[in-house]
């Protein structure tokens, strides 16, 4: 979709070296979305969204370790409060704690760490590559990496036109256009601040899961 839009608008694309885009595809796209997709059916939309809220926390820690960002005293307090909030939200689930639930939580953490690693890597190594190129490269390589998983988890039924339409909508709005804005923010303000938008994602997804999907959410 992005290549088509770039061609129609005569946007010049300069991808540079492929390897950094492979890393972004493996982490920000493949790792994050595999973890999220695996976890959501096991722990629910609301609980999966809560784990998404840990991405800025992991990003702050990784940025500090890699020397990309400095955590202020206020940031340390925020980090502790954030982890305390996750403990409250995940430590007292409204569903039975089964082996499948624990596995889903572990997959969510894997996805969150992958997203945080990829964002910091993009900030460190891809400052001279445009957000369009980063998004196209990341989803191309990430898609190629996840494609063999269809052999392990085949599509349960032949996709209908509605299914394909929803996939195109998700790809265009939630992936392509959203990540163009996201990678631009990463380059301009840093990984942690850019990825803090996930807090809003968490709030919206928890509300949708509880109100529209009738998923249990304890006080």
């Amino acid at each position: 979709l992005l290549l088509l839009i770039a061609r129609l608008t005569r946007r010049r694309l300069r991808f540079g070296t492929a390897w950094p885009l492979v890393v972004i595809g493996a982490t920000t796209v493949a790792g994050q979305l595999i973890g999220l997709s695996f976890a959501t059916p096991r722990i629910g939309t609301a609980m999966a969204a809560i784990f998404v809220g840990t991405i800025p926390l992991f990003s702050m820690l990784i940025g500090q370790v890699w020397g990309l960002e400095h955590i202020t005293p206020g940031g340390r307090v925020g980090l502790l409060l954030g982890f305390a909030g996750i403990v409250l939200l995940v430590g007292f689930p409204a569903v039975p704690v089964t082996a499948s639930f624990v596995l889903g939580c572990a997959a969510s953490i894997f996805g969150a760490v992958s997203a945080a690693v990829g964002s910091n890597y993009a900030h460190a190594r891809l400052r001279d590559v445009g957000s369009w190129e980063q998004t196209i490269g990341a989803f191309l390589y990430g898609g190629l990496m996840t494609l063999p998983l269809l052999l392990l988890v085949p599509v349960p039924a032949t996709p209908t036109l509605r299914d394909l339409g929803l996939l195109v909508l998700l790809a265009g709005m939630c992936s392509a256009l959203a990540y163009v804005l996201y990678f631009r923010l990463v380059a301009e303000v840093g990984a942690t601040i850019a990825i803090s938008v996930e807090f809003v994602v968490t709030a919206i997804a928890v509300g949708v899961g509880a109100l529209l999907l009738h998923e249990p959410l304890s006080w």
Side-chain angles (χ1 to χ4, degrees), residues 5-40:
I5 295 173
R7 179 62 62 88
L8 292 175
T9 58
R10 298 182 179 181
R11 175 183 292 271
R12 297 185 64 183
L13 299 175
R14 299 175 181 176
F15 291 94
T17 307
W19 176 245
L21 295 175
V22 173
V23 175
I24 300 301
T27 52
T28 304
V29 176
Q32 178 182 194
L33 297 183
I34 287 173
L36 189 63
S37 300
F38 183 84
T40 301

Side-chain angles (χ1 to χ4, degrees), residues 3-172:
L3 282 172
L4 177 61
I5 295 173
R7 179 62 62 88
L8 292 175
T9 58
R10 298 182 179 181
R11 175 183 292 271
R12 297 185 64 183
L13 299 175
R14 299 175 181 176
F15 291 94
T17 307
W19 176 245
L21 295 175
V22 173
V23 175
I24 300 301
T27 52
T28 304
V29 176
Q32 178 182 194
L33 297 183
I34 287 173
L36 189 63
S37 300
F38 183 84
T40 301
R42 290 164 175 80
I43 64 177
T45 304
M47 189 63 71
I50 290 167
F51 278 104
V52 168
T54 66
I55 298 177
L57 309 180
F58 287 121
S59 178
M60 187 181 294
L61 289 175
I62 293 170
Q64 176 79 8
V65 172
W66 288 4
L68 300 175
E69 299 179 0
H70 174 68
I71 302 179
T72 64
R76 293 188 180 94
V77 173
L79 191 64
L80 291 174
L81 288 174
F83 276 118
I86 298 302
V87 169
L88 286 174
L89 288 166
V90 179
F92 301 93
V95 296
V97 180
T98 61
S100 177
F101 179 85
V102 173
L103 189 61
C105 291
S108 292
I109 293 175
F110 170 77
V113 172
S114 296
V117 169
S119 299
N120 279 277
Y121 185 87
H123 181 59
R125 297 292 302 275
L126 290 170
R127 294 184 182 182
D128 297 328
V129 179
S131 60
W132 282 67
E133 291 87 343
Q134 289 187 50
T135 305
I136 293 170
F139 277 93
L140 171 63
Y141 291 117
L144 291 175
M145 292 174 194
T146 56
L147 191 60
L149 293 177
L150 286 175
L151 298 175
L152 299 176
V153 188
V155 178
T158 302
T160 64
L161 288 177
R162 180 178 182 273
D163 295 330
L164 295 176
L166 290 173
L167 284 173
V168 171
L169 182 63
L170 287 171

